[in-house]
Amino acid sequence: MNDRLTCILCPAGCELEVFDQGDRLEVRGNECDKGIGFAESEIRHPLRNLATSVPLQGTGARMVSVRLSGPVPRERIFPVLEAIAGLRPEAPVRRGQVLIPDVLGTGVDVIATRTLE
Ligand code: SF4
C-alpha cells in the first residue's frame, strides 16, 4: 500500500487504500466508483480551495471574507495565501466582486463573499 486517504465526496467517508501500480492506481475500500476518481486526483493532481478574510482598507478592524473561484494545485496554496494576505480592498465591496483576477497565474480569481458598504 502506498497511501491511505479518506474520501470526502460524500458523508460515508470511505477509508481508501491506494496502491501505485505505475501506470495506474489500484484503489480499495471505496464503496462506489467516485472514490477511484477521488484517489487519482489526490495522488496525481491534488487541488485545494481556501477561504479567509482580509481587512478593509483604512479600517483595520472591518474584515471582508474572500474565497477562491475554484481550486488550485495544492503546492500553490501558500503562495496564493501570501498574495491574499497583502490585499486591502476599498469599500464598497460587493459579494462576488473579483478582488484579484487570475491570482498568481493560476486561472483562479479571489472573490469577495460578503458585501461591505
Ligand atoms: S467512495 Fe463513494 S461512497 Fe465512499 S465516500 Fe467516496 S463517494 Fe462516498
Side-chain angles (χ1 to χ4, degrees), residues 7-14 16 29-36 38:
C7 180
I8 59 170
L9 297 182
C10 89
C14 294
L16 308 179
N30 52 305
E31 289 186 17
C32 77
D33 286 346
K34 289 181 185 174
I36 297 171
F38 174 81

Side-chain angles (χ1 to χ4, degrees), residues 32-61:
C32 77
D33 286 346
K34 289 181 185 174
I36 297 171
F38 174 81
E40 287 176 346
S41 174
E42 277 297 295
I43 299 294
R44 305 282 195 220
H45 310 287
L47 299 172
R48 293 292 181 271
N49 209 327
L50 68 83
T52 184
S53 55
V54 295
L56 201 59
Q57 190 173 96
T59 66

Side-chain angles (χ1 to χ4, degrees), residues 15-113:
E15 294 294 326
L16 308 179
E17 296 176 342
V18 186
F19 301 83
D20 193 341
Q21 307 289 6
D23 58 336
R24 68 179 186 86
L25 295 177
E26 180 185 339
V27 181
R28 297 180 191 165
N30 52 305
E31 289 186 17
C32 77
D33 286 346
K34 289 181 185 174
I36 297 171
F38 174 81
E40 287 176 346
S41 174
E42 277 297 295
I43 299 294
R44 305 282 195 220
H45 310 287
L47 299 172
R48 293 292 181 271
N49 209 327
L50 68 83
T52 184
S53 55
V54 295
L56 201 59
Q57 190 173 96
T59 66
R62 295 183 72 198
M63 303 297 281
V64 181
S65 54
V66 302
R67 68 170 173 80
L68 301 179
S69 60
V72 297
R74 184 174 61 191
E75 66 273 14
R76 304 297 303 277
I77 276 291
F78 284 109
V80 166
L81 205 46
E82 286 175 8
I84 293 173
L87 189 61
R88 298 291 181 271
E90 286 183 40
V93 174
R94 302 273 172 235
R95 184 170 178 255
Q97 181 179 334
V98 174
L99 300 175
I100 306 177
D102 188 22
V103 60
L104 301 181
T106 57
V108 167
D109 300 329
V110 177
I111 60 176
T113 58

